[in-house]
Amino acid sequence: NLAWQGRATSLSATLRTMLELGNCYLQIAKIHRIQGTRPFSLSAAARAILGLGGWGDDGGKKQLTLQDVAKLIRKKECRRIVVMAGAGISTPSGIPDFRSPGSGLYSNLEQYDIPYPEAIFELTYFFVNPKPFFTLAKELYPGNYRPNYAHYFLRLLHDKGLLLRLYTQNIDGLERAAGIPPDRMVEAHGTFATATCTVCRRKFPGEDFRGDVMADKVPHCRVCTGIVKPDIVFFGEELPQRFFLHLTDFPMADLLFVIGTSLEVEPFASLAGAVRSSVPRVLINRDLVGPFAWQQRYNDIAQLGDVVGGVKKLVELLDWNEEMQALIQKEKEKVGKK
Ligand SMILES: [Zn+2]
């Protein structure tokens, strides 16, 4: 059934976009465009001929390895770590892959006959028909999914006082569920943990509306009866104020981790270029992406392949295996008690 498939593709593509909400940020990206990025790449050979340096060859400086980074962390020579995370850290938790029609969420959204997929994240459509958005909210409301090894690694960084800030593109709240305090995070695309009345702008804990969302009811403000919208950033909406913490966080960072993100969404993506040039950048991702692909620095490290596998390798090098196991066990028991 070709017609259906076509629709499936466009709906799923948008659902994916939704998770790495992006287009609305392009304007801001232009303003905050990080200096020095170039939208083209030179081959390693060309770079060598032109004397530009490249991977492993930057003014004779030795190329860093993951092992070197582990040493720097263990010796506390890096202790203001900034992490950028994307959908790739949530896939192992079973967050639905919207690209494959047939997922429960996909078929639930199918029933609403959405005019075009982007509409789910547009305020004008939301006020006409908020139900598709709340179908998604029901799926992603805190509690349905559990954090995985990658989330707990970030939690351990925090526990050790090494995490300056975690910038996440994810709206599944698994970083919070892993116990990372909200003030250590910038949830660039918003969160279901809080909600705002669309009329009187009163703020509420997202938890207040769990009952409504789970019962497929659109939540209303108890003061003014306006529709209450979880604080997910819609197209055309401003980024959370906290996003601008990057102006101080990135220049202060002494190590950058980029984990499970394709670095395609602006202005998030450009942040990777905002750390000082002497700062090691570690990519843990399925593919080589962003500046790691086209503007490598001698101190860039790419650990490619399975994201959890990459994080485990780093944990191994850090000799944090036991602590990781203890933390995961402790968190599992907490969930068990609930
Ligand atoms: Zn209200």
Side-chain angles (χ1 to χ4, degrees):
N1 186 329
L2 276 179
W4 191 80
Q5 268 178 8
R7 239 181 109 192
T9 312
S10 74
L11 176 58
S12 58
T14 305
L15 285 170
R16 193 175 153 235
T17 314
M18 231 166 80
L19 283 186
E20 291 199 358
L21 277 175
N23 298 344
C24 55
Y25 306 139
L26 282 171
Q27 281 309 105
I28 300 155
K30 274 180 202 151
I31 300 162
H32 291 277
R33 187 81 194 165
I34 307 307
Q35 285 177 4
T37 52
R38 292 170 307 189
F40 62 89
S41 74
L42 293 170
S43 72
R47 292 176 71 87
I49 291 161
L50 294 170
L52 292 172
W55 209 301
D57 174 27
D58 201 274
K61 285 176 195 145
K62 189 176 153 278
Q63 191 197 327
L64 277 189
T65 64
L66 198 60
Q67 196 154 15
D68 295 330
V69 166
K71 251 185 228 160
L72 290 170
I73 296 173
R74 290 182 61 179
K75 288 197 286 184
K76 295 265 162 99
E77 281 173 28
C78 292
R79 52 188 174 180
R80 292 189 305 273
I81 303 175
V82 168
V83 179
M84 297 169 67
I89 68 163
S90 292
T91 321
S93 289
I95 296 293
D97 178 6
F98 304 113
R99 279 163 290 190
S100 48
S103 76
L105 176 56
Y106 182 85
S107 26
N108 285 341
L109 287 170
E110 184 72 351
Q111 66 178 300
Y112 292 111
D113 208 18
I114 303 157
Y116 49 97
E118 292 81 357
I120 298 178
F121 284 100
E122 284 178 5
L123 285 172
T124 42
Y125 183 74
F126 177 81
F127 289 121
V128 176
N129 184 11
K131 288 211 162 170
F133 173 75
F134 281 106
T135 300
L136 174 87
K138 185 178 177 181
E139 181 75 20
L140 292 182
Y141 232 64
N144 272 351
Y145 296 93
R146 293 299 311 155
N148 63 61
Y149 195 92
H151 297 104
Y152 287 123
F153 169 68
L154 303 179
R155 159 75 187 275
L156 192 57
L157 281 181
H158 166 68
D159 287 354
K160 287 176 175 287
L162 298 169
L163 181 68
L164 177 60
R165 203 88 61 194
L166 164 59
Y167 285 73
T168 182
Q169 293 168 287
N170 300 334
I171 57 172
D172 50 48
L174 292 181
E175 300 89 355
R176 286 183 189 233
I180 301 164
D183 70 351
R184 278 290 137 199
M185 287 195 284
V186 170
E187 291 158 305
H189 299 165
T191 173
F192 286 103
T194 55
T196 306
C197 172
T198 55
V199 177
C200 74
R201 308 306 297 171
R202 275 186 179 79
K203 289 265 183 198
F204 299 97
E207 207 43 46
D208 287 10
F209 305 100
R210 169 179 291 277
D212 287 337
V213 171
M214 292 306 144
D216 299 315
K217 284 187 204 150
V218 173
H220 286 271
C221 175
R222 51 180 173 260
V223 181
C224 80
T225 75
I227 296 177
V228 175
K229 177 181 150 302
D231 292 336
I232 298 297
V233 180
F234 275 33
F235 291 109
E237 280 192 306
E238 277 177 36
L239 290 174
Q241 276 302 309
R242 293 184 58 76
F243 184 78
F244 296 97
L245 284 171
H246 79 81
L247 294 170
T248 48
D249 283 348
F250 280 73
M252 255 200 320
D254 54 18
L255 176 62
L256 175 69
F257 282 121
V258 178
I259 310 180
T261 167
S262 54
L263 287 180
E264 278 169 357
V265 174
E266 293 294 351
F268 196 86
S270 291
L271 292 182
V275 290
R276 287 166 293 135
S277 60
S278 59
V279 169
R281 303 187 297 186
V282 180
L283 173 73
I284 301 177
N285 197 44
R286 190 155 288 288
D287 312 295
L288 204 57
V289 293
F292 293 89
W294 51 264
Q295 200 186 33
Q296 309 111 357
R297 299 175 180 175
Y298 74 96
N299 47 5
D300 281 348
I301 295 141
Q303 174 65 40
L304 303 182
D306 178 64
V307 168
V308 167
V311 174
K312 280 188 173 160
K313 187 176 171 193
L314 179 58
V315 166
E316 192 89 29
L317 292 169
L318 286 163
D319 201 17
W320 288 358
N321 261 330
E322 277 176 33
E323 285 164 280
M324 275 296 291
Q325 289 318 321
L327 172 61
I328 291 171
Q329 189 57 34
K330 192 179 79 188
E331 290 298 312
K332 253 191 201 158
E333 282 163 15
K334 255 194 225 165
V335 177
K337 275 177 201 151
K338 270 184 192 166

